[in-house]
Amino acid sequence: MSATAHRHDDAVARYFEAWNAEDPAARAKAVAAAWTEDGGYTDPLADVSGHEGIAAVIAAAGEQFPGFEFRLTGVVDGHHDIARFSWELVSTADGSAPVAGSDVITLDGQGRIRAVLGFLDRVPAGA
């Protein structure tokens, strides 16, 4: 695996660590480790920047889907400072995955996320 591929995989691992952090302090620490100070997150439901805004979006998702965790599906595909990957939101109780999506991230020179462009591929009615 090339150094660039490791960089993409590491960034995506930190991304999921942030999304799966349940404790507010752990979430804040994980967001700071994954994103640049002015990093952003945009999907059909949110458009925020900065660590506090990103942490708030993650917290809201956790409140809407308690007992679920985000998991990578497939492999991370990337080049230069850009990577794309797909994910599912999976119930830890029964393994169901009502939400799925794909994200594209851009990284800074240190491998931290500058921007996330998210797409929701599967969303339950009323969510």
Side-chain angles (χ1 to χ4, degrees), residues 53-68:
I54 294 165
V57 166
I58 293 171
E63 290 170 8
Q64 186 175 3
F65 292 96
F68 284 76

Side-chain angles (χ1 to χ4, degrees), residues 2 7-8 14-15 17 35 38 44 49 51 87-88 93 102:
S2 73
R7 193 165 155 258
H8 295 135
R14 287 191 310 273
Y15 175 84
E17 184 177 334
W35 272 268
D38 61 347
S49 62
H51 292 170
W87 51 267
E88 289 182 323
S102 300

Side-chain angles (χ1 to χ4, degrees), residues 15 19 41-46 70 73 83-89 99-105 115-123:
Y15 175 84
W19 277 95
Y41 178 85
T42 302
D43 72 13
L45 306 174
F70 286 88
T73 59
R84 66 178 177 168
F85 56 93
S86 296
W87 51 267
E88 289 182 323
L89 184 59
V99 182
S102 300
D103 291 350
V104 175
I105 61 174
V116 176
L117 301 175
F119 297 86
L120 299 174
D121 302 324
R122 180 174 64 238
V123 178

